Amino acid sequence: PIHFALDALAFVQAYHHGTFRDNWTSVVDKELTISKRTFPEISQAIPVHRADRVIEGVSAEEVASVVLNYDYRKRWDDRFDSVVVLEEYGANCHASFMVSKTGFPFRDRGMFVASLAAKENKPHHSASNSMINVQSPSPTSSAIYCVSASFNPESITQFQATKYNPYNLPLGRLYLDAWVIQT
């Protein structure tokens, strides 16, 4: 499952370092700068949405810790319901079954999601045990990536569905969920 998150990480890093910067369409929002664009590499029909915001008074590590913590996510994400971690790989990498709330008359959706956190290494920077360390093509980059993507449920057949999906929720797909956080 983690290969799906690693592929998503490669895509997000390419975007962050200058690839895919053209052809975004603005979406009006009062609090965020939001844009959208279709990427055939991710989905032919569903566009990727990008939001940018400056948050003052906190470090990138503090924001990442809130993004990565599922207990905190219940507070800031009104669509997040619950998660069952199925496999852990270390360094904030895991495969899980996540439940997302929907509105009436639809049922909530369950999704098989592989997630990871990665921090780019600047030259002469000490490694962090809690995240994957990736080499930055730019000597000034210090981005933290929090990335999730759905994976094929057939790759985890050793788990009993009644334990992670007791309500037999219909399955959804999370093509890409990514945060690029910098101080």
Side-chain angles (χ1 to χ4, degrees):
I2 203 66
H3 290 286
F4 290 88
L6 290 169
D7 288 344
L9 173 63
F11 178 85
V12 172
Q13 281 186 296
Y15 165 77
H16 182 63
H17 292 292
T19 308
F20 313 122
R21 292 291 180 151
D22 298 327
N23 302 320
W24 289 87
T25 304
S26 257
V27 178
V28 178
D29 189 291
K30 295 178 183 176
E31 295 184 27
L32 295 171
T33 303
I34 300 177
S35 304
K36 67 180 181 176
R37 177 183 166 191
T38 302
F39 288 94
E41 301 90 342
I42 295 173
S43 172
Q44 295 285 338
I46 300 171
V48 170
H49 286 76
R50 177 188 84 199
D52 299 308
R53 183 165 193 169
V54 175
I55 302 172
E56 295 182 16
V58 294
S59 69
E61 288 79 9
E62 290 170 313
V63 174
S65 70
V66 171
V67 168
L68 295 168
N69 185 305
Y70 290 122
D71 290 332
Y72 288 136
R73 186 165 181 167
K74 286 182 181 187
R75 296 179 187 165
W76 59 264
D77 184 350
D78 59 353
R79 293 198 178 261
F80 178 80
D81 183 70
S82 61
V83 69
V84 175
V85 176
L86 303 171
E87 293 182 327
E88 291 191 63
Y89 309 108
N92 276 328
C93 300
H94 61 275
S96 62
F97 184 79
M98 184 183 305
V99 177
S100 181
K101 297 177 189 175
T102 59
F104 179 81
F106 302 104
R107 289 185 69 200
D108 292 349
R109 295 286 184 258
M111 293 173 273
F112 292 96
V113 178
S115 302
L116 63 80
K119 184 173 184 177
E120 286 184 321
N121 282 333
K122 289 194 271 185
H124 304 94
H125 187 268
S126 62
S128 169
N129 295 358
S130 63
M131 296 182 203
I132 295 175
N133 288 289
V134 292
Q135 291 299 318
S136 170
S138 166
T140 60
S141 181
S142 61
I144 297 173
Y145 300 94
C146 303
V147 179
S148 297
S150 285
F151 64 88
N152 186 342
E154 293 176 8
S155 64
I156 55 150
T157 56
Q158 69 271 27
F159 298 102
Q160 294 180 354
T162 56
K163 296 211 180 212
Y164 59 80
N165 189 6
Y167 302 110
N168 199 26
L169 295 173
L171 297 180
R173 184 168 179 197
L174 178 67
Y175 288 97
L176 175 66
D177 179 39
W179 293 70
V180 180
I181 308 165
Q182 289 182 288
T183 298

